Structures are given as structure tokens and as C-alpha cells.
Amino acid sequence: MTAAETATGKGWGAAPSATWAVTGLALRQTSRGAVVVIALTALMSAVTVGAYRGAVASPSDAAALAALAENPAIRTLFGEPVALHDAGGFAVWRTGTVLSVLLAVWGLLAATRITRGEEDAGRWDVLLAGRVPVRSVVAHHLATLVAWALLAGVAAFTGLFAAGATAGGATAHATGLALCGVFFVALGTLTSQVFAERSSASGAAVAVLGVGMLLKMVGDGIAGLEWLRWLSPFGMAALARPYDGDHMGPLAVLGAVCTLLAVAAIAAAGRRDVRGGHLPSSSGRAPRRVLLGSPQAFAVRRLLRPLAAWSAGIGVYYLLIGVLAVSMTAFLAANPRFAELAAQAGFGGLVTVEGYVATLFALLAVPVGAFAAVRLAGLAQEETSRRLTLLLAQPVTRVRVLAAEVAAAVGGAFVLTTVAGLATWAGARTVGAGLGLLAALSGAWNVLPVVFLCLGIGALALAWVPRAVAFAGCVPAAGGFLLKVFADTWGWPTWIGQVSPFTHLTALPDVPVGRDAAMVMTTIGVLAVVVGAAGYRRRDLRV
Amino acid sequence: MVSSAFHTESLTKRYGRMTALDRLDLSVPPGEVFGFLGPNGAGKSTTIRLLLGLARPTAGRAWVFGADAADVAVTHRRLAYVPADVALWPRLTGAETLELLARTGPGTDLAYRAELVERFGLDPSKPGRTYSTGNRQKVALIAAFATRAPLLVLDEPSSGLDPLVEREFRRAVGEARDNGQTVFLSSHQLSEVEAVCDKVAILRAGRLVDVATVRELRRLHRTEVTAAFATAPPDLTRVPGVEEVETTGATTVRFALTGPPGPALRALADADVLNLAVREPSLEEIFLGYYGGRER
């Protein structure tokens, strides 16, 4: 800009566009994930309303469902069933927990990623050297994320309403969902001001999420402790009782808490050093020299922390699955309509403990596949952040580095599936479901071939589209799962369903091992890794 | 015995339509401290990336101690590298990073490493994310020097170092030279190259402009003489070796001197010189000679 332009005031005129540029930056960094979350919210809400009409045709169905929902374990997992007599109420009960956790996780991770993550990586140094002060930058990022969370609420309302649920309950539910999202967006932004490290900021916010979920679960499941729900954003959203009174009081409180958090986050942003947090980071420590001896060992070292977190999440979930084994199968056996519907969506054999467990083990492929994909995406990230340069300047080939990462991911996937198997077995044991340890373990391990496919596609992406490793790596598991559900539900041509790896997963431990499909998937996975490694070896490093 | 630490033959790298490096033929003899000079974007880092096998040449080849540069498992056993912008693992402390690089590297002299940590003033207990640019650079430099590898490839190594550490860095380069190691030092800082290098290759817009010793480079250029006289200055325009005579005041003259200075000194001796300043141009100015004109 020339002096003349500044003198005539163009420099001042540019000030609003500077903050718009910051908002634009936040939008660019969040739009992809936000669109996926919003679409999922709308779709799941609408589909569940539709499913209710098919499933609960008679009063006896509704009564059976209500009885099931009163099971303490089910209550813990899905929350208090407040309006199962209503399609909308059913959808809220069935999807409420999942969607609020989805929004919360997305919100807090996005918040810490685009604020602390960008700042920690040094990219904000340039941004903050500009006209816009740090407080304003944080405020604009926060506002963008809040807008996305509110849009997700609009999506939930639209999904419910469009599928035929009444508007009043939909409004209460959608507001609760959106506010859960806003709560964790604001919380993530706040922890990003407190901690100087992105992982600490995310970790603290995730801990709050865990505690919040736990408080709601305890409040939902145990009579006399209902008040605990007032201490949790999820609990307050549930206290609104959509389709059963639509109380706006708890939502108003939650909204006030969200506002408070957001104000605190923005205030905290202005009172700290750039690249620093309110809590000083550790000033040094004695070296821990284990697992630094080779690329393989180092890959394991970098794996341990995330693996522990994934194991905890998957372990808790599958423990509940195990605890529910008896009551779920009894319910489905007594209510064939639900079993039929599940079979229609591709989940047959749910009426036995083995069949039920097998179906839920198939689902395990989605998180474990995502875990594997994220590991390879981490390698791509190491490359763009130039950390890998130091390692690759050693007498270490890229193939060896990739092999180390793949091996670590395979090991991690084995640990995760084992944890899931053990947790399910332990849970089933507490209710006397009669699920054998080996049956549980082999059922969980059964998904490993799909994970190999994920690694294979991820490795191909690393070689040719390194920006899309995480997405591509998730395609065989998450994409394949959705494809199978859609193909079965909507009666798509058989060959479409055949593309999904899930069509070829045998329902272990219900049905004896189908070695052929597993072998084929494993072979394809291994071949894809080999081809990916060849491509990775030949391309230029992105630095 | 291989006759060069590394050499390249028509080494070319194109990114789309942009030619980053154009048919580079360069041979660096073993045991020399070899400077690689050029402005930003000249292709210095591209050359180094090709040399390290981090990128593939579009055409031409590079060899490190006789082995194809693409064969990193072999070539990297004999070299150590310090990137221009060092990125460390945020959770590993300096000591842990050094440990990782030592145990995956071509072998490390642990005693020398400990000495370097001391000399460079690095606190190795801090996690990587807390290090400043200079400290990250120190970690990579210590790891590289401690390998005592036959070839050290240093990409703008002292850009983030303070003067005291820079002195230690120059000492370490000298020790490497005394040790018979080859040091390939890319830089756009002339003082750095001038201080430590034996030979310099100059790169401009992806092309090799010249390879010369630092002394030769200087000789290519003139000495600048400023003289002040008691009376009107003599006419120096016809004196052999004297060029660009410029009258800077009533009694002062500035001129450029090339070749033997005898005739000019005689001419000055005949006049009544009050003050004489002789200045050797910095490499900076020599450098500007290469890049001046068209590129500006």
C-alpha cells in the first residue's frame, strides 16, 4: 500500500475487512468438519424419526421399548427416556447422547486446533503482528465455531421436523444440542488460553467432557442423584425434557453458562503472552530415553499416549455393550419387529447374545479403522511440519519409517480390539450372559482385516494425496459401514452393498470364521501398503 | 578413494513450469569447507534436498561419496544434515532428541557431543516446543557435528545463532576441517562464508554462476581508494590500473584500483597526500556485482 493511499484513509477503511479476513481464516479451517457434523446431525435425527414409525406400530411395541429403556444400563447409555410414546421423543432418546457427544468432541477439538494449535505451530505470530489483536482473533474464531454449533442445532431441528416430529420438542432438543456444542467450543477456546500446548488444552477439555458425561449418566441411572445433571451441559440439555414439557429453564441456564465461558475465554486471551498460556509449561525434566533407539521404537513411543486414550474410550463403551448383552437380546427376542428392522439394515442375528455381540463388534471396525488412519495421517503431519526431515536425514529409508508407523498402528489396532473383546467379556460376565472369553476376543479381532484395508488405503493416500490420508483411511471402515447400512435399508442393488467390507465380515463369534473374506481383505490391505510404500519412496518430501 | 565428497551432473529440478535448479554440475572435494552462496530462492535448499534424496531430480544425478544420492540408507551413513528451519518433536526434550538422532544416526562421538552441548550453551532438559529458533538450530548442529560424519551438509546453519554461539559454530567447523571432514555450507550471509569457507560456489536463479576460492573472488574485484590532498588533486585518470575516478570534494578523490598498485602509488606519492583510505570490498559487494544490473 502506498503512502498516498494510507493518507487518504484507505488504510482505516481496511480495518473491518481485517477482522473479516480472520473470520474467513477460521471458516476455511473448520468448514469441512462442520459440514460433515451438521449433515450427520440432520440425517440421524430424520432417519430415527422414520425408524420409529416402522418399529413402534402397536402399543405393545411401545410398552416393550419403554421397559427396555428403563434398564439401568440402557438408561446410562442413552439417558432417561422421557417421551418414547412420541416419534420425536424416541429420536431424542435414541440419538441425543450420540449427537451431543459428537458435537462436543468436534467443537472442542476444532476450537483447540484452530486457536492453540495454530498459535503453538507459530502461524499466529504473523497473524498477530497484523492489525487485529489477539483477543479479537480469538473472539472471531470462537464466533465462527459458535455459528457452526448453532447451525448444527438448526440441522437437528430441520431433520426432526422434516421427518414429521412436532416443532416444540424439536426446538427444545435442537437448542440443547446446539448449546452442548457451544459449551465445548467455548471450553476448548478457554483451555487454549490456559494451556500453552494444544494437547494439554484438548486433554483438559476432553476431561471436562468425560466428567460431564459421567455426571449425566449417574444422574440418569441412579434415583436420588438426578440433581447431578445440573452440573453437566449434557445433563442440562436432558433436563429440558424435549417432547415432555420442553422446559426452557435448564436451557437458559446452559446458555448463560456458555456465555460466561465465552466471555472468560475472550478475557483470558487478552491477558497472556502470545505462544504462552496462563499456566506456565514445564521448565524442563530429566530425559526419558526409552523407545528412542530406532524408527520402530520411536513410532511406538509416539503411539502410547493416544493409544491409552482410545483404549479407555473403547473399553468403557464395550464394557457397557457387554453389560447390556442379556437385556438387549431378551428385548429383541420378545419384540421381533425391532429385530426385523435391524436385520433390514444389515444387522441380523441380534436375538442371541453372540449375534448381538457380533453385530456390535462389527461396529468396532469404524473407530479402530479411524485410529489406524489417524496414525498414518500423523506421519503425513510429521512430514509437513518438517519434523520428519531430521529423521529422514539419518540412514533411514522412508519405507522403513512408513513400515514402522504401519506396524505400530497394527499393534495399536490389535490392542484396541483386544481391549474391546476383554471389556465386552467382562461386562457380559457381570450379567451372566455366558459369553466365552475366546468368543469375545475372536469377535473383536474379526474386524482387523478391515483395519488393514484402512491402513492400505491410508498408505496409498500418503503416497499420492498426502493431505487426505485421514479421510481416505477412514473410507473402508466408516464409509463402508454407512454404505452397507444405506444399501440394506434402502434396498440398493446388491453389488453396491458388496463393495462394503462389512458385507464380507462374518458375524463372529456367532458364525464360524470366514477365512476367505478375511484373507482377501488382508491381502488387499497389504498390497495397498506395499504400493503406497513404493509411491511414498519415490515422491518428493513435502516441506 | 573417491575424488569428491559429492558431485552432481546436470542436476535439474522443475516444479511444474518453474525451474528451481538448472543443470547443476558441481563437485566438492573431500576435506574442504565449501560455501554455497546465493540469494533466497536461488535453489540452494533444492540442491541440498536432491543431494539428501528428500526430493527426486527431474533430470541429472547426484552422487555422495560415489553412491547414488537416492540410496539414502548408504549415503546417509556418511553425512549429517542441519536443515535451514529446524523443527523438533514438541514433547521430546533436547536430550531426548539428541538421543534419538544419535541412535538412528551414522554413529556419534558422545564425549564430543557433551562438549558441544556445553560450548553451545544448550539446556537439553527443555521440551522441544519451548526452544527458540536458535536453540532448535543448536540441537541440530550439535547432533550433526557430534556424528563426525565425513560430510556435513549445513543449510543456513547460523541464521538464528547469537554472536557468541556463532563463534563456537565457526570453531566447530574448523575442528571438522582439521578432522578431514567435508563441510558444505549453504548461506546467503557473506560474512559467514568469508569467515569459514575455502571455496565458494555461487548460485543464481537455479544456475551455477561461479566456483572460486574466497581469495580469488576478492581478487576478481577492485580495491577502493579514497585520498585527501593538501591542494587540488592530481589527474589520476591516465594512471594504469586506476578506474572510476570520482571527485568527492575540492581536495578529495575516490577511485577503484585493479591490478598492481605501483603506478597509482607513485602518482599519489608525487602529490601532497594528507589522508589515504584503502578499503577491500566485502564479499557483499562482490556478490552485488554478480546479482546487480538485470536482477534489480
Side-chain angles (χ1 to χ4, degrees):
Chain A
M1 178 167 296
T2 66
E5 276 172 332
T6 314
T8 55
K10 284 191 180 174
W12 293 107
S17 73
T19 54
W20 272 112
V22 172
T23 306
L25 175 71
L27 274 175
R28 280 175 72 111
Q29 290 172 302
T30 51
S31 58
R32 208 185 312 178
V35 165
V36 171
V37 166
I38 289 169
L40 266 177
T41 307
L43 198 70
M44 275 181 71
S45 303
V47 166
T48 317
V49 172
Y52 179 83
R53 303 207 188 290
V56 188
S58 70
S60 69
D61 289 334
L65 181 66
L68 172 79
E70 285 308 324
N71 177 308
I74 291 273
R75 274 181 77 116
T76 309
L77 203 55
F78 291 109
E80 185 189 1
V82 293
L84 290 185
H85 52 83
D86 185 287
F90 172 75
V92 168
W93 173 73
R94 187 69 191 74
T95 64
T97 307
V98 178
L99 286 181
S100 55
V101 169
L102 174 77
L103 268 170
V105 169
W106 170 81
L108 74 89
L109 288 183
T112 53
R113 175 173 56 88
I114 66 169
T115 58
R116 178 51 65 183
E118 290 294 295
E119 188 175 336
D120 203 12
R123 285 189 280 271
W124 272 20
D125 291 5
V126 183
L127 187 65
L128 294 177
R131 267 195 294 257
V132 191
V134 61
R135 185 178 286 180
S136 173
V137 170
V138 169
H140 281 86
H141 278 65
L142 175 58
T144 308
L145 289 168
V146 166
W148 283 126
L150 296 179
L151 262 182
V154 172
F157 175 86
T158 313
L160 289 172
F161 190 68
T166 48
T171 308
H173 174 59
T175 311
L177 268 187
L179 287 178
C180 279
V182 172
F183 180 92
F184 283 97
V185 160
L187 181 73
T189 313
L190 179 61
T191 58
S192 293
Q193 311 313 311
V194 174
F195 295 94
E197 227 177 311
R198 175 182 166 189
S199 52
S200 306
S202 301
V206 167
V208 172
L209 187 151
V211 170
M213 206 63 227
L214 197 69
L215 288 174
K216 172 184 183 278
M217 283 177 164
V218 173
D220 281 339
I222 299 172
L225 292 178
E226 289 93 347
W227 58 271
L228 279 178
R229 291 182 289 187
W230 282 99
L231 303 179
S232 154
F234 303 114
M236 281 189 261
L239 284 169
R241 301 180 78 87
Y243 295 98
D244 182 43
D246 304 333
H247 305 300
M248 287 300 165
L251 293 181
V253 175
L254 180 54
V257 172
C258 290
T259 312
L260 214 64
L261 271 180
V263 169
I266 294 168
R271 295 168 181 273
R272 60 177 180 84
D273 297 343
V274 172
R275 289 230 212 180
H278 283 280
L279 284 184
S281 45
S282 71
S283 58
R285 59 174 170 83
R288 293 192 279 266
R289 298 181 195 278
V290 287
L291 294 174
L292 289 172
S294 65
Q296 287 85 346
F298 190 47
V300 173
R301 182 173 169 132
R302 287 187 293 113
L303 175 84
L304 291 179
R305 202 182 268 257
L307 182 62
W310 283 79
S311 296
I314 286 181
V316 168
Y317 182 78
Y318 276 89
L319 189 70
L320 275 171
I321 295 297
V323 170
L324 287 172
V326 171
S327 41
M328 275 305 291
T329 46
F331 166 76
L332 289 167
N335 300 274
R337 187 184 298 278
F338 284 93
E340 271 167 37
L341 275 172
Q344 228 175 64
F347 301 106
L350 283 174
V351 290
T352 63
V353 168
E354 279 78 13
Y356 157 77
V357 169
T359 300
L360 286 153
F361 275 150
L363 273 180
L364 182 60
V366 177
V368 181
F371 168 81
V374 167
R375 292 317 299 164
L376 282 190
L379 186 62
Q381 171 65 29
E382 291 270 293
E383 182 183 332
T384 32
S385 63
R386 300 186 312 275
R387 287 192 284 272
L388 208 56
T389 313
L390 279 183
L391 200 58
L392 290 177
Q394 309 286 69
V396 170
T397 62
R398 283 184 224 176
V399 172
R400 189 161 158 220
V401 169
L402 174 62
E405 204 63 52
V406 169
V410 168
F414 181 75
V415 169
L416 285 181
T417 47
T418 306
V419 164
L422 285 176
T424 312
W425 169 78
R429 217 177 125 86
T430 58
V431 293
L435 179 68
L437 176 60
L438 198 66
L441 284 176
S442 58
W445 290 333
N446 191 37
V447 300
L448 284 174
V450 182
V451 179
F452 298 152
L453 271 184
C454 292
L455 280 170
I457 304 299
L460 288 178
L462 183 67
W464 285 284
V465 264
R467 291 167 62 93
V469 173
F471 178 79
C474 282
V475 163
F481 176 73
L482 290 177
L483 183 68
K484 176 165 163 60
V485 171
F486 291 155
D488 288 346
T489 306
W490 291 318
W492 289 354
T494 322
W495 67 266
I496 296 181
Q498 291 287 326
V499 175
S500 167
F502 284 86
T503 311
H504 307 286
L505 273 186
T506 19
L508 268 179
D510 197 25
V511 179
V513 187
R515 291 188 196 284
D516 293 351
M519 282 303 291
V520 169
M521 280 190 256
T522 307
T523 311
I524 294 175
V526 170
L527 279 178
V529 168
V530 170
V531 174
Y536 182 50
R537 195 177 73 87
R538 294 196 58 77
R539 75 169 166 84
D540 293 351
L541 224 52
R542 295 177 306 149
V543 267
Chain B
M1 182 67 197
V2 187
S3 60
S4 64
F6 74 81
H7 74 281
T8 68
E9 229 176 66
S10 296
L11 196 63
T12 303
K13 182 67 183 177
R14 277 188 281 274
Y15 294 103
R17 292 170 63 192
M18 206 270 286
T19 303
L21 192 65
D22 195 6
R23 287 165 291 158
L24 177 75
D25 291 305
L26 185 64
S27 179
V28 173
E32 274 192 7
V33 178
F34 199 99
F36 197 40
L37 213 50
N40 291 327
K44 302 188 300 293
S45 291
T46 302
T47 309
I48 289 177
R49 281 156 53 75
L50 294 172
L51 204 60
L52 286 165
L54 300 178
R56 305 284 146 176
T58 312
R61 285 182 73 183
W63 290 267
V64 178
F65 292 111
D68 190 327
D71 193 358
V72 297
V74 172
T75 58
H76 289 191
R77 273 184 206 292
R78 308 194 62 185
L79 65 81
Y81 168 56
V82 175
D85 190 356
V86 179
L88 300 177
W89 290 274
R91 284 183 176 282
L92 294 194
T93 63
E96 287 163 355
T97 306
L98 288 175
E99 180 79 9
L100 173 72
L101 295 177
R103 289 170 68 179
T104 55
T108 293
D109 181 341
L110 293 177
Y112 187 46
R113 187 179 76 183
E115 184 196 323
L116 286 171
V117 168
E118 201 62 36
R119 274 168 50 186
F120 279 63
L122 176 77
D123 177 358
S125 70
K126 294 248 197 301
R129 58 168 303 281
T130 63
Y131 281 134
S132 64
T133 313
N135 277 324
R136 292 200 303 270
Q137 206 115 31
K138 283 184 205 171
V139 172
L141 281 170
I142 291 167
F145 282 121
T147 61
R148 299 207 186 264
L151 172 63
L152 301 177
V153 180
L154 313 177
D155 194 355
E156 307 199 353
S158 62
S159 49
L161 303 180
D162 63 51
L164 287 178
V165 180
E166 197 172 338
R167 198 181 61 194
E168 285 305 328
F169 163 71
R170 288 178 186 177
R171 254 182 76 197
V173 170
E175 284 160 6
R177 184 208 331 245
D178 297 343
N179 216 9
Q181 292 166 267
T182 313
V183 180
F184 186 62
L185 192 154
S186 130
S187 180
H188 59 251
Q189 267 183 297
L190 300 155
S191 54
E192 179 171 47
V193 169
E194 206 170 1
V196 299
C197 294
D198 307 315
K199 239 187 200 173
V200 184
I202 296 183
L203 199 66
R204 170 189 164 186
R207 288 184 176 222
L208 189 64
V209 178
D210 199 3
V211 180
T213 63
V214 170
R215 202 180 305 152
E216 278 169 353
L217 267 186
R218 286 214 193 89
R219 209 186 304 141
L220 280 176
H221 280 260
R222 52 202 73 189
T223 309
E224 187 186 289
V225 181
T226 311
F229 300 91
T231 55
D235 181 17
L236 296 167
T237 46
R238 291 173 199 282
V239 181
V242 171
E243 285 167 25
E244 294 173 24
V245 179
E246 195 183 344
T247 309
T248 50
T251 58
T252 54
V253 164
R254 185 165 60 210
F255 61 89
L257 183 63
T258 50
L265 289 177
R266 270 192 293 277
L268 288 174
D270 291 342
D272 191 0
V273 180
L274 284 182
N275 194 354
L276 187 71
V278 178
R279 201 177 66 86
E280 207 174 345
S282 68
L283 210 43
E284 192 90 43
E285 285 156 296
I286 297 174
F287 204 52
L288 283 177
Y290 280 110
Y291 299 110
R294 286 166 295 169
E295 296 292 310
R296 312 234 130 221

